[in-house]
Amino acid sequence: MAAEQKRLRIVPDQAANAAFLDDFVVMSGFGVTPAGGVERQAATAADAENRRWLAEWLSDRGFTVRYDRVGNMFGLHELVPGAPYVLAGSHLDSQPRGGRFDGAYGVLAAAHAADRLRRYHLDNPGRAVHNIAVVNWFNEEGSRFKPSMQGSGVFTGKIDLAAALATEDGDGVSVAEALGSWDMLGDTDVFAVGPQHTSPGHTVASYAEIHIEQGRELDKAGVDIGVVPSTWGADKYEISVIGAQSHTGATAIADRQDALYGAARVVVALRELADEYGDDLHTSCGQLNVYPNSPVVVAREVNMHLDLRSSSDELLEEAAAKLARTFAEIELSADVEIERRFAHTWKGHTYQPEGVALAEDVIDELGLSRMRVRTRAGHDSTNMKDLVPTVMLFVPSVDGVSHAENELTLDDDLIAGVDVLSETMARMVEGEL
Ligand code: HGY
Ligand code: MN
Ligand code: MN
């Protein structure tokens, strides 16, 4: 007998999808920039405004809104008292002058999917084995406060809570002060899952996240949904290039210890490394601060944030070793010192194959096209997959643009993603992952 055709629990409908698009327009107005991007860095006024809107949206639908001790935001809906929760979400914070889809799409998609599930279980009591929680992770982007994926890093025990709360932005404001000023810092754990969680809390069964691809694979292939089987590895760290201040006019070249010259050599070396390895290594220096940054002073110090990503952990290690040798050459030839500071790295790891299979089955049931796409960007699921079974889904990014105001995903793709997430979560809540 043919295998029982799995009935869709959450049948897509136009009204629900129209409501999603309307809500997304509202959310995209918080911190909107003139070019149609968003400026909503972690725990800024625009981020808080967006969080308040989401809190109200969730509360209006009967979800219980709570914040944990590092400002991760949750909307809880209990179906089975005491049962573990299926978490779904992403992040509302953005890069400076970022795109309106990165993270925010996944949070709103999770909220709408959770609400569709809430209504389904009202009509189908007794089918759930897990509860539902929507999550907006604090500071995924790591722009105002470093590192990235900070809220989910604390949640999964990869980042120390006290260290995260003490992290300061460029103006000396700490995470604790910033979140406290919006009254968005919880005093207990909501979920007791990681080694540092002391207060009693709920448990987590699994996690699902949908996100824009931020690359070109789906767009080029004309495919509706990406299923992520694994991440690229990342080696992100700060260095300080240390020289000595002197007069830009009067000082002989031979007498200079020009930190900015040394830093410029590092930037060029990074790109030459990427060119050497082709498509398997991405490198950048995205942030560079020059001191004293005065027109008539040779720089005494340059602080840089380097970012190396690769499809292969071995290749990443090889590239890091080559870069270290280049640093030694630069130190000699520019008469500077290069000190390595804080690092945030993750290995290329796989997502649970059973989660990939579940998502692919859902996509087929919905009659959508799919392909597997490795993620080059980090996500909160990068942390969560090391804690619980995790499903990571992509929708296409037009021309692969992201972390820019012209980031774009088309409405039909947004809606397809919400339908896939809804049905995937439905099966997770019924214990299929
Ligand atoms: O680091 C990352 O890849 C993410 O975009 N924050
Ligand atoms: Mn993101
Ligand atoms: Mn991002």
Side-chain angles (χ1 to χ4, degrees):
M1 189 163 85
E4 187 218 29
Q5 183 77 4
K6 282 202 182 69
R7 181 173 59 83
L8 285 176
R9 280 77 163 178
I10 313 291
V11 179
D13 76 68
Q14 279 205 325
N17 286 332
F20 172 82
L21 294 174
D22 291 345
D23 283 339
F24 191 73
V25 168
V26 170
M27 248 176 54
S28 301
F30 299 121
V32 64
T33 61
V38 289
E39 178 70 55
R40 281 194 310 237
Q41 297 189 65
T44 56
D47 184 33
E49 188 185 15
N50 203 4
R51 283 174 157 234
R52 278 194 295 273
W53 178 84
L54 178 67
E56 196 177 318
W57 190 96
L58 289 165
S59 308
D60 289 351
R61 289 158 180 80
F63 289 78
T64 304
V65 176
R66 294 189 54 196
Y67 298 94
D68 74 6
R69 294 187 294 168
V70 72
N72 293 316
M73 177 182 180
F74 301 92
L76 308 173
H77 181 65
E78 186 175 77
L79 294 168
V80 182
Y85 280 73
V86 171
L87 248 58
S90 191
H91 61 92
L92 289 181
D93 67 301
S94 81
Q95 287 290 342
R97 287 177 56 172
R100 64 188 187 279
F101 298 89
D102 177 0
Y105 165 64
V107 174
L108 189 64
H112 271 258
D115 193 47
R116 293 179 189 182
L117 266 168
R118 178 186 64 80
R119 285 182 273 121
Y120 167 80
H121 283 285
L122 279 178
D123 303 335
N124 298 273
R127 293 186 62 96
V129 298
H130 295 312
N131 296 311
I132 310 167
V134 179
V135 56
N136 161 33
W137 297 109
F138 171 69
N139 186 29
E140 189 280 344
E141 290 294 5
S143 53
R144 181 183 179 193
F145 303 105
K146 291 148 184 77
S148 54
M149 299 120 83
Q150 191 178 44
S152 58
V154 170
F155 187 87
T156 53
K158 295 181 178 186
I159 295 176
D160 175 71
L161 172 65
L165 292 173
T167 310
E168 293 184 355
D169 65 8
D171 299 325
V173 177
S174 72
V175 163
E177 288 160 346
L179 283 167
S181 70
W182 305 114
D183 195 20
M184 292 179 178
L185 195 57
D187 51 14
T188 61
D189 300 318
V190 180
F191 288 92
V193 285
Q196 61 192 351
H197 290 274
T198 51
S199 35
H202 303 298
T203 55
V204 180
S206 53
Y207 176 65
E209 180 167 355
I210 194 161
H211 200 284
I212 56 170
E213 181 197 338
Q214 302 176 300
R216 286 176 178 272
E217 305 309 310
L218 293 172
D219 190 35
K220 272 190 311 192
V223 168
D224 300 321
I225 303 286
V227 184
V228 182
S230 63
T231 67
W232 272 31
D235 193 8
K236 300 159 76 173
Y237 56 97
E238 274 183 70
I239 61 170
S240 278
V241 181
I242 298 165
Q245 281 190 209
S246 60
H247 195 298
T248 50
T251 312
I253 292 295
D255 294 338
R256 295 183 187 201
Q257 292 177 269
D258 186 338
L260 187 50
Y261 168 62
R265 297 270 305 275
V266 168
V267 172
V268 171
L270 275 173
R271 170 55 67 91
E272 287 172 347
L273 208 48
D275 293 342
E276 185 185 332
Y277 283 98
D279 288 344
D280 287 324
L281 179 73
H282 292 175
T283 62
S284 253
C285 168
Q287 187 178 54
L288 182 147
N289 293 302
V290 182
Y291 303 99
N293 203 28
S294 165
V296 198
V297 178
V298 173
R300 70 168 182 278
E301 180 170 350
V302 176
N303 182 275
M304 306 171 75
H305 284 265
L306 311 184
D307 187 343
L308 289 83
R309 311 270 176 120
S310 176
S311 55
S312 144
D313 289 349
E314 295 70 31
L315 191 158
L316 201 53
E317 275 173 33
E318 191 183 308
K322 282 193 177 179
L323 196 58
R325 287 195 292 275
T326 306
F327 284 175
E329 286 160 28
I330 293 169
E331 284 181 315
L332 268 180
S333 59
D335 194 9
V336 294
E337 277 177 40
I338 296 177
E339 285 182 8
R340 188 177 162 125
R341 303 237 195 274
F342 180 80
H344 177 219
T345 61
W346 61 82
K347 295 285 181 212
H349 280 170
T350 55
Y351 289 82
Q352 289 74 11
E354 54 273 22
V356 171
L358 186 152
E360 291 181 333
D361 189 44
V362 166
I363 297 162
D364 294 346
E365 289 269 299
L366 286 163
L368 296 165
S369 57
R370 58 174 168 86
M371 65 188 275
R372 293 187 183 186
V373 183
R374 290 188 72 183
T375 180
R376 295 164 172 81
H379 303 285
D380 295 304
S381 68
T382 305
N383 286 327
M384 287 300 286
K385 69 173 171 27
D386 297 337
L387 189 77
V388 291
T390 294
V391 177
M392 183 70 192
L393 301 163
F394 278 162
V395 289
S397 294
V398 174
D399 296 333
V401 172
S402 185
H403 283 193
E405 292 172 287
N406 56 331
E407 185 180 86
L408 178 63
T409 295
L410 304 176
D411 285 357
D412 286 351
D413 292 328
L414 296 175
I415 288 168
V418 181
D419 289 343
V420 170
L421 181 67
S422 302
E423 181 63 21
T424 301
M425 283 169 62
R427 296 187 185 188
M428 292 164 79
V429 166
E430 292 188 17
E432 289 193 26
L433 180 67

